[in-house]
Amino acid sequence: MLKQIAWNTFKNTGDINTFMELMEVDKTIDSIENALNLQKNNDVDLQNIQTKRNDTSAKITL
């Protein structure tokens, strides 16, 4: 959506700098979203490891 806003702004104003700045913002947003997805995946992996560790500990104490 931001790419479309950037393009429309450029078409209406002819200001390439505004277009480039909005494209940079779009890239930054994508990077943040990717980082958040990686963090979610890491959290799930950590939970899985902790669950397996707890399951293993429970089996050993029995």
Side-chain angles (χ1 to χ4, degrees):
M1 185 166 132
L2 191 55
K3 289 178 185 178
Q4 189 62 41
I5 293 170
W7 178 246
N8 288 338
T9 301
F10 173 68
K11 285 193 308 185
N12 291 332
T13 64
D15 185 1
I16 190 69
N17 292 324
T18 302
F19 175 78
M20 297 304 291
E21 287 177 20
L22 288 172
M23 293 304 294
E24 192 63 33
V25 169
D26 187 58
K27 287 179 187 176
T28 302
I29 290 170
D30 286 345
S31 295
I32 292 169
E33 288 173 345
N34 288 338
L36 289 173
N37 286 333
L38 286 173
Q39 182 63 42
K40 286 179 188 177
N41 291 339
N42 287 341
D43 289 346
V44 169
D45 289 344
L46 181 59
Q47 288 173 349
N48 289 339
I49 290 169
Q50 290 172 340
T51 300
K52 287 178 184 177
R53 184 181 299 151
N54 291 341
D55 290 346
T56 303
S57 296
K59 288 178 184 176
I60 292 173
T61 58
L62 292 177

